């Protein structure tokens, strides 16, 4: 049976990949997005296949209510967020406005119009901070270093509050470092997209710190598989979504170079620029994945080099579109 679905943040990097998968399986999808970082072009194929797009801000409770009252979704995927960690530190009020108040508006409307399930999107690394245990399990203490981690944690707690008080079925997926097609190569968050762009531009990648810091890089299509599994499941609470494997930034650069060689791209230059470590960044981040395996039957199946190859192909197309070749 097709589901009636609302995806907030559906014009963004992860959200639009999810929307494509939902449309492909025949669901009736409405996207709510204010296009602050997302792009309508990400929804080109989905809209051609019947997905609806509403340009609205989740901070606007009336607008959110209006969409939910028209659509009456059975499932809500909540991805819309202020995701810029540094902006969250400079302007924590704006960060909280979107990530806390916006989340409350979405949850209130989901409850009011009878959604059977809300899949909330949160973050592992930014919530666990400098964790004692790596890979880090869900029960580890939350020690956010940036306001972003605090606001996402607060959003999770509102999910739990709606569940306890109103019986709204919610599950929160704490994502690791997601990479893949449609991640902004000019943004701050996507180190993989940035390295791919630098490779194709023939530039040496910039590494902040020694490059020995580690991250858990999970491919966006694997995240979508986890999101779909979370919608069908009944389990509630918090579930990490990652690979459980730690990759150093220097190893990532090597892997981007190898994927590039397979794609016929120029050779990856050695990182010549080692910048100062970034304030507020944790040294090591990797998520324990036992709960995702046990409760969702999920494990990430994409090998890093395969995901990187697909990312490089997309970044190459994106560079061609923005005319970067001429500008570089
Ligand atoms: N990319 C990652 O590595 C990663 C890791 C952990 C968690 N997450 C979470 O995944 C979700 C999606 O992130 P992404 O990487 O796809 O980023 P993104 O910026 O591409 O997507 C966020 C989307 O939300 C929209 N949006 C922002 N503020 C809005 C508002 N006030 N009203 C309506 N729409 C709004 C943006 O326009 C964008 O389309 C976020 O909740 C983020 O916290 C991402």
């Amino acid at each position: 049976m097709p589901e009636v679905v609302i995806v907030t943040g559906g014009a963004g990097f992860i959200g639009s990949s999810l929307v494509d998968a939902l449309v492909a399986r025949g669901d009736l999808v409405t996207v709510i997005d204010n296009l602050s970082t997302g792009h309508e072009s990400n929804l080109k194929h989905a809209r051609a296949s019947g997905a609806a797009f509403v340009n609205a801000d989740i901070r606007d409770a009336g607008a959110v209510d209006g969409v939910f009252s028209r659509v009456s979704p059975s499932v809500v995927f909540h991805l819309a967020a202020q995701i810029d960690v540094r902006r969250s530190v400079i302007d924590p009020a704006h960060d909280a406005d979107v990530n806390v108040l916006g989340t409350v508006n979405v949850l209130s409307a989901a409850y009011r119009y009878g959604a059977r399930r809300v899949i909330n999107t949160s973050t592992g690394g930014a919530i666990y901070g400098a964790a004692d245990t790596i890979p880090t399990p869900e029960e580890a203490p939350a020690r956010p270093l940036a306001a972003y981690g605090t606001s996402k944690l607060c959003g999770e707690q509102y999910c739990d509050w709606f569940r306890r008080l109103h019986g709204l079925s919610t599950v929160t997926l704490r994502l690791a470092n997601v990479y893949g097609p449609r991640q902004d190569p000019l943004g701050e968050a996507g180190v993989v997209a940035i390295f791919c762009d630098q490779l194709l531009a023939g530039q040496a990648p910039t590494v902040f710190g020694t490059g020995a810091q580690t991250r858990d890089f999970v491919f966006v299509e694997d995240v979508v598989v986890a999101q779909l599994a979370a919608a069908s499941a009944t389990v509630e609470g918090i579930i990490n979504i990652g690979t459980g494997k730690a990759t150093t930034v220097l190893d990532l650069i090597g892997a981007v170079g190898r994927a590039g060689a397979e794609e016929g791209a120029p050779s990856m230059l050695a990182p010549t620029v080692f910048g100062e470590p970034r304030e507020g960044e944790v040294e090591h981040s990797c998520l324990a994945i036992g709960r995702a395996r046990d409760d969702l039957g999920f494990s990430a199946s994409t090998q890093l080099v395969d995901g990187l190859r697909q990312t490089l192909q997309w970044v190459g197309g994106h560079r061609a579109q923005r005319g970067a070749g001429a500008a570089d």
Side-chain angles (χ1 to χ4, degrees):
M1 272 289 282
E3 295 260 25
V4 179
V5 180
I6 284 183
V7 181
T8 73
F13 158 47
I14 302 170
S16 62
S17 302
L18 171 65
V19 168
D20 283 342
L22 293 167
V23 167
R25 70 176 196 181
D27 286 354
L28 303 169
V29 182
T30 299
V31 169
I32 300 177
D33 200 299
N34 70 351
L35 302 180
S36 53
T37 55
H39 305 279
E40 262 190 282
S41 57
N42 286 343
L43 293 170
K44 208 168 98 195
H45 298 299
R47 288 179 80 180
S49 305
F53 168 66
V54 181
N55 187 337
D57 194 312
I58 56 165
R59 290 172 296 176
D60 181 344
V64 171
D65 195 275
V67 180
F68 275 72
S69 72
R70 280 198 305 278
V71 173
S72 287
S74 54
V75 177
V76 178
F77 292 92
H78 177 43
L79 292 94
Q82 191 304 114
I83 67 153
D84 185 332
V85 172
R86 278 193 275 176
R87 183 170 184 196
S88 82
V89 175
I90 294 163
D91 191 357
H94 170 74
D95 180 76
D97 207 15
V98 178
N99 293 354
V100 181
L101 193 64
T103 298
V104 171
N105 289 338
V106 170
L107 291 168
S108 299
Y111 165 60
R112 198 170 309 125
Y113 296 101
R116 71 161 180 84
R117 184 90 164 142
V118 176
I119 299 88
N120 180 43
T121 320
S122 190
T123 166
I127 284 183
Y128 297 126
D132 299 327
T133 311
I134 292 180
T136 310
E138 290 84 352
E139 56 274 11
R143 293 182 189 139
L145 289 174
Y148 169 70
T150 301
S151 65
K152 295 296 281 188
L153 182 64
C154 191
E156 292 184 354
Q157 291 179 347
Y158 271 107
C159 287
D160 201 47
W161 181 78
F162 270 86
R163 183 185 63 75
R164 280 183 280 113
L165 196 79
H166 294 305
L168 179 66
S169 173
T170 65
V171 63
T172 286
L173 304 183
R174 281 185 181 164
L175 309 184
N177 285 64
V178 189
Y179 73 97
R182 297 186 186 153
Q183 189 164 36
D184 183 2
L186 306 178
E188 289 296 334
V191 65
V192 172
I194 292 168
F195 286 161
C196 288
D197 198 57
Q198 288 172 328
L199 170 77
L200 296 176
Q203 293 168 352
T206 304
V207 171
F208 295 98
T210 62
Q213 61 269 46
T214 54
R215 296 290 180 269
D216 179 345
F217 294 106
V218 62
F219 190 54
V220 65
E221 282 177 18
D222 286 329
V223 170
V224 169
V225 170
Q227 289 172 312
L228 298 180
S232 318
T234 51
V235 60
E236 297 179 320
I238 290 163
I239 304 179
N240 288 339
I241 301 297
T243 66
K245 292 187 194 117
T247 302
T248 70
V249 170
L250 290 181
D251 284 345
L252 173 66
I253 290 172
V256 170
R258 282 195 299 284
E262 288 176 27
E263 288 295 306
S267 302
M268 191 67 166
L269 300 174
T272 52
V273 191
F274 282 88
E276 284 296 307
R278 284 183 162 166
E279 211 180 336
E281 274 193 5
V282 295
E283 190 64 11
H284 299 292
S285 172
C286 183
L287 304 186
I289 53 172
R291 194 175 289 178
R293 187 192 52 225
D294 297 345
D295 290 353
L296 300 179
F298 168 77
S299 61
S301 62
T302 308
Q303 296 302 311
L304 185 61
V305 74
D306 295 330
L308 291 176
R309 223 184 291 122
Q310 294 184 54
T311 310
L312 271 166
Q313 286 165 7
W314 183 84
V315 172
H318 187 259
R319 284 178 61 75
Q321 269 174 23
R322 66 178 205 256
D328 285 324

